[in-house]
Amino acid sequence: VRLGVPLEGKVLIVHHVFRPDDTFQTLDVGSLLPLHASALGKILLAFGATPLEPLMDPEPESYTRHTLVSRQQLNRALSEIREAGWAAAVQEMMIGEADIAAPVRGQGGLVVGAVGISGAVDRLCDSRGRPQAPLVGLTRDAARAISRDLGAARW
């Protein structure tokens, strides 16, 4: 589980909770993730916590063949994220890795960050590579709880 906020055209990881298993893990606090290739970043872009324009000039870096780099791809994805209320990035930054995120809102309802989960594709996604609905639900519930603690109205 990671909590991210916008910082200079990237996502700054400000909190990281390890998985409760014995798999190898590294602390991500202080790491910077790309906006366009992470679920946390896509949330920040979709809900206006950080602008899209600076990211597009020049074209953003492609990390894998799944990375969204064209303006048309990103705009379509961001529109879908705003409608759904959550984001996913499946093998966009690293092959075999996926993440799911939801917006964290502050007082007044503005998106101030994002909370998400990340891990192996086979743990987070179904057999067709789509994020598992129960994990999306848990991520959205966590975002709502954090948002309530920050004074956001119910939505």
Side-chain angles (χ1 to χ4, degrees), residues 25-41:
Q25 301 173 66
T26 58
L27 185 62
D28 288 344
V29 172
S31 298
L32 292 170
L33 302 177
L35 291 166
H36 68 291
S38 65
L40 294 169

Side-chain angles (χ1 to χ4, degrees), residues 6 8 15 20 23-24 26 29 45 52 63 69 84 96 102 104 108 128 142 155:
E8 299 176 359
H15 189 66
T23 60
F24 176 75
T26 58
V29 172
L45 287 169
L52 176 62
Y63 296 95
V69 293
V104 172
R128 291 183 276 185
W155 74 92

